[in-house]
Amino acid sequence: MKDKRIIIKAENLTRRFSSGTAVDGISFEVRQGEMVGFLGPNGAGKSTTLRILAGFLTATDGNVQIDGLSVIEHSLEVRRRIGYLPEKVALYPEMRVSEYLHFRGRIKGILGRRLRARLDEVKSLCGLHDVSGRIIGHLSRGYQQRIGLADALVHEPELLLLDEPTSGLDPNQLRNMRELIKTLGQKYTVVLSTHFLAEAETVCNRVMIINHGRIVASDSPVVLTGLLKNKSMVVAEISGAHTAVGGALRALPHVTGMFWNPCRSAEGERPGEEWNRYVLECDTGADIRGAVYAEAARNGWGLRELRLERKKLEDAFAEITGNMG
């Protein structure tokens, strides 16, 4: 990704309101082809940052360049390169889908044959062909989000800025929108803000965690989970006297803690057979499954489950921000 050109360059970006500082001197870069997620509690500064990048809000201090152009000095040219989907999409509910997208395309300077081609492309991409003749106000929230996204795409921008694109959607709509965003990431540079931790983890290849207007962590979801002190746990179900099994497991290298519970009786167990489920907390990066297997084999203990369970981005987010907001 280092050889890709810089699409967004923000330096010491700050935005103050009368109520306080929403964005507090943040600096970051986004390169061509990245899918970056802004993740943070309510009021962290995510939406404010996206509005500044889109040119809808002026920074109090600092500067932003989009593909080398200043958002302030080259505002119109920058906006031609950006597709922006706000959290609350402003649509004309009395208009039909095709009518609205045609209207928006003309406003953006797209005319004639090119406009017809682009409308066909974005309606196909966003799954709107079947509702193109429907009145917008009669459509679901999911379809209205898709219309807003089609509007953001109609002028063929290089950069997509999506502010809470799945907010308010039902589970099926949410799943479909996530898949659509992943598809868009194959062609566009995408920056999105989200409250959905699973969304950032599955859709984005880089996450910036924002708290109180500052970027407190920025890396891939996998690396961010590694910021936890105990990022991995080994889960094992073993038969044998707990005093012997538990003592042996606790003594293994890299084990920092252990929890256990008796297993419920299962079909096929021999009378008097004692099965227990162990959860072993380990040092960062340690995978002791081989040692657990070897210990069970050496002592003749039964082993019917052995797996590595990593903590997720949700855990890293809670630990880093200290506030689920």
Side-chain angles (χ1 to χ4, degrees), residues 205-253:
N205 52 41
R206 182 154 64 98
V207 176
M208 297 185 197
I209 297 181
I210 301 180
N211 198 33
H212 301 299
R214 297 180 179 177
I215 296 174
V216 295
S218 176
D219 217 312
S220 70
V222 172
V223 172
L224 285 178
T225 60
L227 295 176
L228 294 164
K229 293 179 181 178
N230 297 300
K231 73 168 184 179
S232 61
M233 295 178 290
V234 169
V235 179
E237 286 193 7
I238 298 175
S239 69
H242 167 64
T243 52
V245 176
L249 296 181
R250 194 186 297 273
L252 290 175

Side-chain angles (χ1 to χ4, degrees), residues 185-206:
Q186 299 172 12
K187 182 177 180 180
Y188 301 94
T189 302
V190 180
V191 177
L192 63 91
S193 70
T194 179
H195 283 98
F196 294 102
L197 304 170
E199 188 165 274
E201 193 167 19
T202 58
V203 172
C204 301
N205 52 41
R206 182 154 64 98

Side-chain angles (χ1 to χ4, degrees), residues 8 50 53-54 82-86 159-163 189 191-192:
I8 301 175
L50 285 183
L53 296 179
I82 292 174
Y84 175 52
L85 178 68
L159 170 66
L160 284 179
L161 303 176
L162 312 178
D163 192 3
T189 302
V191 177
L192 63 91

Side-chain angles (χ1 to χ4, degrees), residues 282-307:
C282 308
D283 290 329
T284 301
D287 182 354
I288 64 165
R289 286 176 293 178
V292 172
Y293 176 82
E295 193 69 20
R298 187 174 66 86
N299 289 280
W301 298 327
L303 180 65
R304 65 185 183 192
E305 180 182 7
L306 182 60
R307 60 185 171 86

Side-chain angles (χ1 to χ4, degrees), residues 6-15 23 25-29 49 52-55 57-74 78:
I6 298 173
I7 299 297
I8 301 175
K9 185 172 185 177
E11 298 177 304
N12 196 35
L13 201 61
T14 302
R15 175 67 199 199
V23 179
I26 65 174
S27 299
F28 62 91
E29 294 179 354
T49 301
I52 293 172
L53 296 179
L57 190 65
T58 304
T60 306
D61 291 309
N63 61 80
V64 179
Q65 291 184 348
I66 303 295
D67 204 11
L69 300 174
S70 167
V71 172
I72 301 298
E73 297 174 9
H74 304 280
V78 165

